[in-house]
Amino acid sequence: MRISRIALTAAALVATSWSAFATDISGAGATFPYPVYAKWADAYKKETGTNINYQSIGSGGGIKQIKAKTVTFGASDAPLSGKELDESGLAQFPMVMGSVTPIINLEGVKPGELVLDGPTLANIYLGQIKSWDDAAIAKLNPNLKLPKQAIVPVRRSDGSGTTYNFAYYLAEVSPEWKTKVGVSTALQWPVGIGAKGNEGVAGNVAQTKGSIGYVEYAYAKENKMTFTKMINKAGKAVAPGSDTVQDAAASADWNSKPGFGVILANQPGDKSWPMAAATWILMYKKPEKPAESAEALKFFAWAYTKGDAMAESLDYVPMPQNVVNDIKKMWQAEIKGADGKPLYSPTN
């Protein structure tokens, strides 16, 4: 299967760190939002001339780099706790939402034809379900002729917020997963082939017959990969996409967690995608290079205002306007220069 422009470009940009661009704003982290960040950066450069150097290295790498103060902003799909934010002097805010999506390479099965539920998906990655014709999968797919073929699980090898959200959901629906594996950006996996980044998982699944992996939906859509439907908390079979992510996020109370750190997995709602997820930006409240941080905030404000259509074209879901308003108030209250004045104001 051919891997399309997004995956190939992402890999190339990781290697070069966008060396063709001048470094005006530097950021690093999550691969989950890379497709939309790349699209925003291209449009922003054309409009303003400002370059965005974003390295798609995984959430774990992004957290390490912002804590080491080697980038202006970090990006993570796993929110930091209020305690960790306070200890590090960091502000955190969600930028966009998407969906963690199972993808498969199973001959004769079209996108959205195969249905899985949470416990079955957990048992695949626990190594307890090993063949595609297993009774648990067959029960969910009575109209599909499933092959007696070994399942090859593909998972992330790097510190990954996508993994965090995937594992968080599995822990919600599988007590055994919660006990034996748990929830983290990096796991002790019982089975599977490791791959780096969403693009790495997509590439491995595309090349491996009988495989299953998990990626942000934009990678599955852009690469025309076979995604599965999932049984959600309401017992309905739903497909990934912006509408089902919106349904999952509809009742989220973003101010209930420090740094807007709300996990959207396993939300109620008939149309709710069970592995909806947000992705967050991390910045210092008192940055050493305030001019660069101010420029970054201008870019994020632009993305909130002008980036919605670009996000939706890749099946990401923009943040609700009331949440954006709260985020901008936080910027004004918490992210300041050495003179104590806010680096962002609505007139910037």
Side-chain angles (χ1 to χ4, degrees), residues 83-108:
K83 180 181 178 183
E84 191 170 2
L85 290 169
D86 290 341
E87 289 175 349
S88 303
L90 291 167
Q92 173 179 271
F93 51 92
M95 201 65 223
V96 71
M97 296 176 285
S99 55
V100 181
T101 302
I103 52 173
I104 59 173
N105 184 341
L106 198 56
E107 191 172 351

Side-chain angles (χ1 to χ4, degrees), residues 64-89:
K64 287 178 181 177
Q65 287 210 22
I66 188 64
K67 287 187 174 182
K69 301 182 180 180
T70 57
V71 292
T72 305
F73 67 91
S76 175
D77 304 326
L80 300 188
S81 67
K83 180 181 178 183
E84 191 170 2
L85 290 169
D86 290 341
E87 289 175 349
S88 303

Side-chain angles (χ1 to χ4, degrees), residues 164-348:
Y164 181 91
N165 284 282
F166 183 69
Y168 189 100
Y169 168 67
L170 295 185
E172 286 275 303
V173 297
S174 169
E176 188 171 1
W177 180 275
K178 188 173 185 178
T179 301
K180 291 185 175 180
V181 183
V183 181
S184 180
T185 55
L187 302 171
Q188 293 295 318
W189 293 91
V191 295
I193 298 171
K196 189 174 181 180
N198 273 277
E199 54 271 24
V201 172
N204 267 267
V205 171
Q207 295 164 17
T208 308
K209 299 293 185 183
S211 60
I212 183 170
Y214 58 93
V215 296
E216 148 57 33
Y217 179 59
Y219 289 86
K221 181 181 180 181
E222 188 73 9
N223 293 310
K224 297 180 173 58
M225 302 191 76
T226 302
F227 61 85
T228 76
K229 287 183 178 178
M230 290 292 300
I231 303 294
N232 65 14
K233 193 171 186 177
K236 307 293 185 182
V238 293
S242 58
D243 56 338
T244 53
V245 173
Q246 285 173 334
D247 200 70
S251 59
D253 181 1
W254 291 97
N255 288 305
S256 66
K257 298 285 186 180
F260 306 91
V262 176
I263 304 297
L264 300 175
N266 207 33
Q267 293 292 315
D270 284 356
K271 297 178 181 178
S272 178
W273 180 251
M275 286 181 282
T279 188
W280 289 264
I281 297 296
L282 296 163
M283 295 182 67
Y284 278 98
K285 293 180 180 180
K286 296 180 179 179
E288 291 182 350
K289 298 178 179 178
E292 291 182 10
S293 291
E295 285 297 320
L297 291 175
K298 287 180 183 178
F299 168 65
F300 297 135
W302 174 92
Y304 283 137
T305 301
K306 298 186 177 182
D308 287 3
M310 286 176 272
E312 289 167 347
S313 72
L314 292 168
D315 280 277
Y316 290 92
V317 175
M319 299 306 300
Q321 187 58 49
N322 66 310
V323 181
V324 172
N325 292 341
D326 288 342
I327 290 168
K328 289 180 177 180
K329 289 177 184 176
M330 182 274 287
W331 291 350
Q332 289 179 274
E334 297 187 14
I335 304 178
K336 299 181 178 181
D339 58 3
K341 294 181 180 179
L343 296 183
Y344 169 85
S345 70
T347 57
N348 279 6

Side-chain angles (χ1 to χ4, degrees), residues 6 17 28-29 51 56 62 95 123 141 159 167 170 194 206 211 217 220 241 243 303:
I6 280 181
S17 301
N51 302 311
S56 172
M95 201 65 223
N123 285 335
N141 298 276
L170 295 185
S211 60
Y217 179 59
D243 56 338

